Amino acid sequence: MSITARTVRLLMPVAALLFLGLALLIRVVDDGALRQYSGTALYASMVWAGVLFLWPRMAPVPAGTVATVFCWVVECAQLTGVPAELSARSLAARLALGVQFDPVDLAWYPAGVAPLVVLHHLLRARTRPASRPPRDVVPPPAALPVDSRP
């Protein structure tokens, strides 16, 4: 059984909503470090879902890399003050861009993406048809005719 790009596009918004729901649930039950750091990791998980929504055939490691780098860029942009200014005007901007730079967040983004990369890899390997080699495997060269003359 193979998972199609269409199936991935249908599942990724559902995954993002589940990550958001989990983040909101944690916010209700905790007011400390778990709330802050799980929110950061789950934000990265939502970005990962967005990457796969846009590029459903992307391999696990590149998808995780794009999601993590995007999160790092957004976090580092907070050093400019632009996200803080936008966040003062819009709740959506505040949720998407944050307000102030926190270097600890740079470590929590990969923590939110890495388990998804592993799961993505396992699912991809499990659903790949056995008759077709993986894309990253170079097929052996075609057998060349052998000259049998003395």
Side-chain angles (χ1 to χ4, degrees):
M1 177 177 100
S2 180
I3 296 177
T4 66
R6 180 179 178 183
T7 302
V8 172
R9 280 221 167 102
L10 291 172
L11 290 175
M12 287 306 104
V14 173
L17 286 173
L18 288 173
F19 297 137
L20 177 61
L22 181 57
L24 293 174
L25 178 64
I26 291 170
R27 287 183 73 84
V28 168
V29 299
D30 186 77
D31 198 22
L34 175 66
R35 177 182 180 170
Q36 179 181 351
Y37 300 128
S38 66
T40 300
L42 289 165
Y43 171 85
S45 299
M46 287 185 278
V47 171
W48 172 85
V51 168
L52 283 179
F53 178 80
L54 294 172
W55 299 286
R57 296 184 194 280
M58 189 174 278
V61 172
T65 301
V66 168
T68 301
V69 169
F70 176 86
C71 292
W72 285 342
V73 167
V74 169
E75 188 70 31
C76 290
Q78 293 171 359
L79 292 168
T80 68
V82 173
E85 187 177 318
L86 295 172
S87 294
R89 299 180 191 162
S90 164
L91 177 61
R94 182 181 181 94
L95 294 172
L97 303 175
V99 177
Q100 70 183 41
F101 177 77
D102 184 354
V104 176
D105 287 352
L106 297 174
W108 280 102
Y109 294 127
V113 172
L116 298 172
V117 169
V118 170
L119 179 63
H120 183 182
H121 177 74
L122 293 172
L123 286 172
R124 198 168 195 228
R126 186 173 184 213
T127 60
R128 180 173 285 141
S131 62
R132 186 174 45 162
R135 285 185 182 177
D136 56 349
V137 173
V138 178
L144 298 174
V146 177
D147 187 5
S148 59
R149 291 182 278 170

